[in-house]
Amino acid sequence: MGQEEPPRPQWDNKIQYLLTSIGFAVGLGNIWRFPYLCQIYGGGAFLIPYLIALVFEGLPLLYLEMAVGQRFRKGSIGVWNSISPYLGGVGIASMVVSFLVGMFYNTILAWVLWYFFNSFQEPLPWSQCPINDNFTEYNLECKKSTPVNYFWYRETLNITPDIGISGSLQWKMVICLASAWTVVYICFIKGINSMGKAVYVTATFPYLVLTIFLVRALTLPGATDGLVYLFTPKWDVLMNPQVWLDAATQIFFSLSVAFGGLIAFASYSEEKNNCERDALVVGIINSATSLYASISIFSILGFKANNAFNACVDENIIALTNHFEWPDQNITAQNYDYWEKYLNLTYPVEFAEVRLEDCDLNDFLDQSASGTGLAFIVFTEAVLSMPGSQVWAFLFFVMLFSLGLSSMFGNLEGVLTPINDLKLVPKWLPNEALTGLICLFTFAISLIFTLGSGNYWVEVFNGYVGSVPLLIIAFFEIFGVIYVYGMKNFSDDIYYMTGSRPNIYWKVCWMVISPLLLLTVLVAYVILQAQKHPTYPSWNPLYFEFPKTEPKPYPDWVFAIIVLLSSVPVISIPLVALYKLTCWGVRRYSKKRDLSPYENHGFDSDLQEYKRQGV
């Protein structure tokens, strides 16, 4: 008799499950990617392709993953092996992607910790340039750029001017990275028991901070300008195919489907549970969070743009006052437009000699940034102008850490659950030790991101591990469930779990619309990437347009790594299918050979039976 399987762990309650799923779906991309897309793609107009992608691509995929995880009670590898042995590679691909994403994702949390620790200083360290080594003037690199840029690129990253120049380990970043992995391990030490407790804080605290930011931001001068800019639609951008592609990829990656984490979380829920309602709750809250965060972010960006516009006008006023030798306070910000037109008409020659800046509020609002540029440069610069800047910096980086920590739970679960389900480790090794070994191993590899070139490698991993592989995995997930496992079997499973069968909307999306959308996005993405050699922005103080970043093409050896990062995670899908097909062919051939009429094995066995019976 084999040993009885231990019961599968379960969430303490439904709230834990929903908060964990929401925390995994709602991540840093909701804060620094969605607002950026709204900014560059016409504000409110971008919501149209975004919502279409949510309805026909995001929600069906989310529902499917939650349903199969809940029904089969296994992690990603176990689920796809149960559906078909030929699809076992899909689960392996999800596990590999979760591992690779978790590896660089926690580096971002290390950067957040570094800024968090520095938020307690007065004044904030990114508010002014440091003195040079000779103590004679301010640092030259900082003077050429800004204190905010200098603190990010030099004090934090100590970045090299080229991805091919690795530089040395930045020990302050190594310590922050070790701290980030330690926090993840502590929250995960007891599996879903400890993680379920942690999400009460990590999944809810960001909403509290966003609300505080929103209330404060709406009272700042210029907040209205930012909100008007956000919600004023530019309908002509909808004719650009890139808008639709970015909307589809944003909703896809924002929901964190295809990582395997949602399947693992669903496997710990009750077997009879309304997973359709859960998917709708998680999907709608995720998108609502993106919109809610955008209101807070654009209110603050409007405040920043208003300050930059006023500073530009003040400089022009000083230039005009000095050139025409007029008394101070004669030209003010309130009457500047009048004086500018008057002087241009009255003294056109002299007016042309004055070097005036072009002060346009929309130009300052158009200055877009996403990702680390929004969090560590644009937002930190805006915080400097807010009264009580230390408090706002503290709240902002605690919020980012909470968001990232919740997402890390899903990435780590997407690795650990398949390992446990496959029984790849001996039973005597406790789960706490296995989790510690995985965290330690991942930390050791992720030290490459703490080198001087680490930021460039984070961008490589972020841009290519979480793009094509996830689209391919998601396509095979839908194909495997609907066309291998069967729509009827899946519908019966949903009826067993929820008491009702999926309606026509879900069926049409799963059978036709979602697979076609995924294929279209995948093909379009690959075509767009193939049309140009990938480049990266380099921070090079010797660049003639410095402090602008220098666009550089990736070297051939880095391009080869990019190809590997885009293909290796999903190579298991065809390899496992080919291996299983080969094994099936060998077994079939062996069976035919055993039944061959030219062999005497059957006659010999009959003869032995007759002899035994004495015939």
Side-chain angles (χ1 to χ4, degrees), residues 9-21 192-193 195-200 265-266 268-270 273 278:
Q10 284 196 331
W11 302 106
D12 290 346
N13 52 63
K14 182 70 173 287
I15 297 297
Q16 277 190 2
Y17 170 48
L18 287 177
L19 285 178
T20 307
S21 300
I192 66 169
N193 292 324
M195 178 175 56
K197 305 293 190 300
V199 293
Y200 285 122
F265 291 151
Y268 301 126
S269 67
E270 295 181 1
N273 169 58
D278 295 345

Side-chain angles (χ1 to χ4, degrees), residues 487-546:
M487 186 71 241
K488 183 181 182 306
N489 291 332
F490 188 47
S491 179
D492 292 341
D493 288 342
I494 291 177
Y495 179 76
Y496 170 76
M497 293 185 293
T498 66
S500 61
R501 299 185 184 279
N503 57 39
I504 187 66
Y505 156 70
W506 295 115
K507 290 183 177 179
V508 170
C509 285
W510 286 329
M511 297 181 73
V512 182
I513 299 177
S514 296
L516 286 179
L517 263 177
L518 283 170
L519 272 180
T520 303
V521 171
L522 175 62
V523 172
Y525 183 87
V526 172
I527 290 175
L528 285 174
Q529 292 297 319
Q531 288 177 348
K532 55 184 180 181
H533 190 86
T535 60
Y536 67 99
S538 164
W539 181 258
N540 183 8
L542 300 179
Y543 180 48
F544 70 95
E545 289 189 46
F546 185 80

Side-chain angles (χ1 to χ4, degrees), residues 358-374:
D358 184 15
C359 301
D360 188 342
L361 181 61
N362 282 327
D363 288 342
F364 292 108
L365 288 169
D366 281 336
Q367 293 175 2
S368 58
S370 69
T372 55
L374 177 63

Side-chain angles (χ1 to χ4, degrees), residues 26 28 31 112 116 119 200-218 220 289 292-297 299-300 379 383 386 388-404:
V26 177
L28 297 174
I31 302 296
V112 171
F116 167 76
S119 297
Y200 285 122
V201 176
T202 60
T204 57
F205 184 74
Y207 292 96
L208 174 62
V209 175
L210 281 175
T211 303
I212 294 172
F213 265 108
L214 178 61
V215 173
R216 180 67 183 97
L218 290 177
L220 295 172
T289 302
Y292 190 54
S294 296
I295 295 174
S296 301
I297 295 295
S299 297
I300 294 172
F379 203 87
V383 162
M386 297 171 66
S389 54
Q390 285 80 7
V391 175
W392 301 112
F394 167 81
L395 287 174
F396 179 68
F397 290 113
V398 172
M399 178 189 69
L400 288 186
F401 191 79
S402 297
L403 285 169

Side-chain angles (χ1 to χ4, degrees), residues 72-89:
F72 289 96
R73 326 290 297 160
K74 296 176 181 178
S76 56
I77 295 179
V79 162
W80 301 114
N81 271 329
S82 299
I83 288 176
S84 171
Y86 298 99
L87 292 173

Side-chain angles (χ1 to χ4, degrees), residues 310-366:
N310 290 334
C312 179
V313 170
D314 288 343
E315 288 182 6
N316 286 352
I317 290 174
I318 293 173
L320 289 173
T321 301
N322 292 338
H323 184 81
F324 287 96
E325 298 181 350
W326 284 346
D328 292 342
Q329 305 300 321
N330 200 14
I331 304 177
T332 64
Q334 287 71 31
N335 62 22
Y336 171 76
D337 289 337
Y338 165 78
W339 278 106
E340 185 183 26
K341 293 177 182 176
Y342 172 77
L343 293 173
N344 191 22
L345 292 173
T346 310
Y347 308 100
V349 177
E350 291 186 37
F351 183 82
E353 295 175 357
V354 185
R355 297 186 61 180
L356 298 178
E357 297 291 334
D358 184 15
C359 301
D360 188 342
L361 181 61
N362 282 327
D363 288 342
F364 292 108
L365 288 169
D366 281 336

Side-chain angles (χ1 to χ4, degrees), residues 107-124:
T107 305
I108 299 176
L109 295 192
W111 297 338
V112 171
L113 277 181
W114 168 251
Y115 271 79
F116 167 76
F117 294 144
N118 281 279
S119 297
F120 295 97
Q121 297 187 40
E122 170 61 37
L124 289 172

